[in-house]
Amino acid sequence: RYDPASPTRTPSCPFSSPRKCRLWYWRSAATQRLRERFRGSIRSGSHAHILHEIPLSSSLAASELADDEVEALLADPEVASIEANCVVRLDPRELMSERTVYDDATWGIDRIDSRTGTDGSYDDSGSTGAGTRIYILDTGVYIGHNDLGGRAVGGWSDGCQSGTETGCGSTWGYQGVVGNGCGDHGTHCASTAAGSEYGVAKGATIVAVQVLSCLGSGSFAGVLAGIDWAVRNCSLDRESDPNLRCVLSMSLGGPGTYSPFTSAIDAALVDDVITVAAAGNDNSDACDFNPANVPKAVTVGATTSSDGLSSFSNYGSCVDILAPGSSITAACISSSPAHNCTKSGTSMACPHVTGVVAQLWSFGRDSGWSGSQIVDALTCFATRGAIGLSGPAALATPNLLLYNRFDNLVYNGDECLLSPSPPPVPSPPSSPPAPGSSCEAATSFGDAPSNPFSLDIPSTAIGVGPDNYVGSLCPNSAFTGTGSVYWLKLNDVRPGVALDLTACGFDTDLSIFRGSCDSLEQVACDGDSLDDEGSCSVSYGSLIDTVLPEAGVQYYIVLGGFNGDTGTATLTGTYAASSSPSPPPSPSPSPSPGPGPSPPPGEPLPICNGCNFAAGEYWNGVTCGTLEELLPPRICTACDYPTEVWNGQACVLLSDYVSPPASAGQADSL
């Protein structure tokens, strides 16, 4: 670069240029006026002429400028600076090919879809890069190769722009399209980025931009002109396809810092065109090479299949991300359109990243991400700490390995997040449970205000019995509580009135429980008692005659069969005489009053609860009745009948109970 403080006023390159060529930069867009000033600044007979006009970096490239012509141009106030147009050459190692295809030939794309290693397959996360355009700035592309799947097209060539230049067909291809006899560096990179078999983004479009000859050399001016053409081409086509997204892949570079690259790559990113660049193969600090040292380029170092840094790879703080670069197999050029070869270099790592950028563009298309956000997402998703770094490389190189399984991640434009799990597929609505199949689905029994009341049960092969069945409570039964049963819910609860339950139809077993479905208490059960009384038209019917329902308690009836038998049955309920239906019980039982102190013997007690004590009625805590009607003995309201009775306030011994005067008659309840 030209340095005013230097004794030498002539810009120079780290190595000689093929032509005495200079890049000069202006401060305005008045290119026509600058062309006129250029002509006015060169002496008569000069061979200097303009090679490129590069608006993206505000520069012109002119050849064969003598030193005094450089001085004349620098005196122009609209000329900002003058740079040497240096040579770009590929690493000779990348021009050579290992012609053996290994079993793990595609280990590179296999590695980037995993956090931990390879598994012999490649997962593209459902993002193929479709709708994205990859510009391969390189030695040209053999677009007819099978691996490029008909998705590669010609673009631009620095040495064969019109098709009539001297180098066309030998070292340069028109529109960057090359064939057998040309170096296959660019074709290999294109295949790695987007090849059908060897590539990352298998649905992206590839555009050939030849900025290096078939021999692998070119100039800074040619590379800048290629960047300019690609960015303008992408912008132009966005007018008809606003969703088009583009990325430049630049597996090239040279020593030193070169501000024109910074200007061009920065301007490209402003237009949402991302540049991916190789870090270089000098086992040195990437910050000493360009365009690797351009801050807004994505600079890529190379790794091995054993997760180490490739021995040749540049490193340091200018590296943004690492990707597979050693022994990478992809498409190459020969007489066969299916030929492949294996190469090593950061040039091979670079297109891996280019492909993932294309995938991210495609993946985030609906999110409206900018080019800068795509670059952030690329490093955000990367696998951290996977590569073994040592020596100088360990000091400043970001240990970030390329990763493309972002289908389970979310980038919100600011940070990486795990994506929420997809909602479960809703199960089809379940059929309602069959009546009688469980406690919760128990069939109502005793809905009509009649006595007796009955229900015909077509089959007991409906549900299963309760878990807390107590067989010892059941006389004449071999029922175990398991097997098929039918559930019923007693709706007609007449507190304090004895209830008989009978079941006829087959060898039945009958049980009754109290409480709620989640907390049942077995009250009574029976196997074959009804048969003994001869009241059933078939043998082995069941009878329960020891139930005295309580107010506020829910009762459930379970009808099963001997040893798991099933069949058709009729269930009948009969309350004792002089009883009437009661409303269904409340959801939770009301607490009964506890026993109070017995009154002194011989003291008259009040008439209460509507019982006609003069007529020999007593109160058992839930109803009025004679002692006979209150039998069989039950503990109700803590009274032990018939020894004790309830006087409306407490349990007292029957011998201590004094009937009130007969004249009181039947009094109102207190």
Side-chain angles (χ1 to χ4, degrees):
R1 178 180 180 134
Y2 170 71
D3 182 0
S6 173
T8 302
R9 301 275 291 177
T10 304
S12 62
C13 289
F15 40 81
S16 60
S17 174
R19 297 172 288 191
K20 287 185 177 180
C21 180
R22 307 287 184 261
L23 287 168
W24 53 298
Y25 301 87
W26 64 89
R27 292 187 171 91
S28 73
T31 55
Q32 178 62 37
R33 184 168 70 252
L34 286 168
R35 288 193 208 101
E36 294 173 356
R37 293 191 181 200
F38 173 77
R39 296 188 187 97
S41 298
I42 60 176
R43 62 178 182 273
S44 177
S46 172
H47 295 288
H49 62 283
I50 296 174
L51 291 174
H52 294 290
E53 296 181 15
I54 312 171
L56 192 67
S57 56
S58 300
S59 60
L60 291 174
S63 70
E64 298 187 41
L65 283 174
D67 291 349
D68 60 335
E69 292 170 327
V70 171
E71 293 287 348
L73 286 169
L74 283 172
D76 190 318
E78 290 197 35
V79 175
S81 64
I82 295 179
E83 304 267 359
N85 181 26
C86 300
V87 170
V88 179
R89 288 196 182 101
L90 292 177
D91 184 340
R93 290 171 292 187
E94 295 181 348
L95 294 174
M96 297 185 295
S97 303
E98 302 170 25
R99 297 293 173 176
T100 303
V101 178
Y102 299 99
D103 291 338
D104 61 345
T106 55
W107 78 267
I109 60 175
D110 184 3
R111 181 64 185 90
I112 66 173
D113 71 353
S114 171
R115 294 290 189 194
T116 57
T118 58
D119 60 4
S121 64
Y122 171 62
D123 186 340
D124 65 6
S125 295
S127 180
T128 64
T132 303
R133 189 176 292 177
I134 297 174
Y135 293 87
I136 303 292
L137 279 70
D138 213 288
T139 60
V141 176
Y142 174 31
I143 66 174
H145 196 287
N146 292 350
D147 191 49
L148 302 184
R151 291 175 287 106
V153 298
W156 181 86
S157 173
D158 181 34
C160 188
Q161 298 182 32
S162 66
T164 61
E165 289 82 355
T166 303
C168 289
S170 56
T171 57
W172 297 89
Y174 179 58
Q175 294 184 337
V177 177
V178 298
N180 195 19
C182 188
D184 47 24
H185 188 271
T187 301
H188 193 282
C189 290
S191 173
T192 302
S196 298
E197 181 177 358
Y198 304 112
V200 175
K202 300 179 185 296
T205 299
I206 301 160
V207 181
V209 181
Q210 190 180 14
V211 296
L212 304 177
S213 72
C214 290
L215 302 177
S217 65
S219 69
F220 282 1
V223 175
L224 285 169
I227 295 172
D228 183 77
W229 179 89
V231 173
R232 287 188 292 109
N233 180 260
C234 179
S235 298
L236 180 64
D237 289 349
R238 275 195 194 138
E239 295 178 4
S240 57
D241 181 8
N243 290 323
L244 177 65
R245 295 294 180 264
C246 303
V247 53
L248 312 183
S249 188
M250 295 174 56
S251 292
L252 50 81
T257 299
Y258 201 61
S259 60
F261 278 138
T262 301
S263 300
I265 290 171
D266 287 358
L269 189 59
V270 169
D271 206 24
D272 281 339
V273 178
I274 296 169
T275 302
V276 182
N281 301 331
D282 296 274
N283 187 26
S284 185
D285 191 342
C287 294
D288 295 332
F289 298 83
N290 65 82
N293 54 16
V294 174
K296 292 187 179 179
V298 179
T299 300
V300 187
T303 65
T304 68
S305 59
S306 58
D307 283 350
L309 188 69
S310 299
S311 59
F312 50 78
S313 178
N314 285 352
Y315 49 80
S317 61
C318 287
V319 172
D320 295 295
I321 198 166
L322 305 173
S326 292
S327 299
I328 302 301
T329 298
C332 285
I333 301 176
S334 76
S335 56
S336 169
H339 185 65
N340 58 35
C341 62
T342 303
K343 294 179 180 288
S344 296
T346 56
S347 286
M348 285 64 251
C350 173
H352 281 87
V353 176
T354 301
V356 174
V357 169
Q359 287 183 301
L360 280 168
W361 271 131
S362 181
F363 179 75
R365 187 181 309 278
D366 295 335
S367 301
W369 293 347
S370 66
S372 296
Q373 287 176 315
I374 291 289
V375 173
D376 289 343
L378 184 74
T379 55
C380 192
F381 291 147
T383 301
R384 286 159 171 74
I387 303 303
L389 301 175
S390 61
L395 299 178
T397 308
N399 199 330
L400 300 174
L401 179 63
L402 183 66
Y403 182 69
N404 78 332
R405 287 291 300 279
F406 34 76
D407 55 341
N408 65 337
L409 299 170
V410 172
Y411 176 70
N412 64 7
D414 182 51
E415 60 180 338
C416 293
L417 305 168
L418 283 174
S419 61
S421 301
V425 178
S427 301
S430 57
S431 301
S437 61
S438 66
C439 178
E440 291 78 7
T443 298
S444 295
F445 180 55
D447 294 323
S450 58
N451 189 35
F453 47 95
S454 63
L455 179 69
D456 292 331
I457 299 168
S459 175
T460 59
I462 298 295
V464 294
D467 296 332
N468 56 345
Y469 183 83
V470 182
S472 61
L473 297 180
C474 305
N476 307 313
S477 175
F479 184 58
T480 61
T482 59
S484 297
V485 300
Y486 193 92
W487 287 79
L488 301 101
K489 178 180 181 180
L490 181 62
N491 277 357
D492 184 0
V493 176
R494 306 182 189 185
V497 180
L499 173 65
D500 290 350
L501 293 173
T502 64
C504 291
F506 67 103
D507 193 350
T508 57
D509 282 277
L510 191 62
S511 306
I512 186 165
F513 294 79
R514 57 179 285 168
S516 59
C517 287
D518 58 355
S519 179
L520 291 175
E521 175 190 358
Q522 189 169 344
V523 174
C525 57
D526 181 71
D528 302 331
S529 294
L530 189 60
D531 181 62
D532 295 340
E533 297 186 5
S535 304
C536 200
S537 59
V538 295
S539 300
Y540 309 118
S542 301
L543 166 66
I544 297 178
D545 60 358
T546 57
V547 178
L548 190 67
E550 297 181 27
V553 179
Q554 182 63 66
Y555 293 87
Y556 293 91
I557 302 164
V558 178
L559 179 60
F562 171 79
N563 206 24
D565 286 351
T566 61
T568 301
T570 298
L571 182 69
T572 301
T574 305
Y575 276 109
S578 304
S579 62
S580 59
S582 300
S586 58
S588 56
S590 302
S592 301
S598 298
E603 181 178 336
L605 297 176
I607 298 172
C608 56
N609 296 299
C611 297
N612 189 346
F613 297 109
E617 286 188 339
Y618 297 94
W619 176 250
N620 72 350
V622 289
T623 189
C624 297
T626 65
L627 288 179
E628 291 77 10
E629 289 174 336
L630 298 180
L631 293 176
R634 289 289 183 272
I635 297 176
C636 296
T637 322
C639 297
D640 186 7
Y641 295 97
T643 306
E644 290 183 333
V645 294
W646 178 254
N647 71 359
Q649 296 175 332
C651 293
V652 296
L653 293 174
L654 183 59
S655 59
D656 292 338
Y657 187 87
V658 178
S659 297
S663 61
Q666 187 170 350
D668 295 332
S669 299
L670 296 181

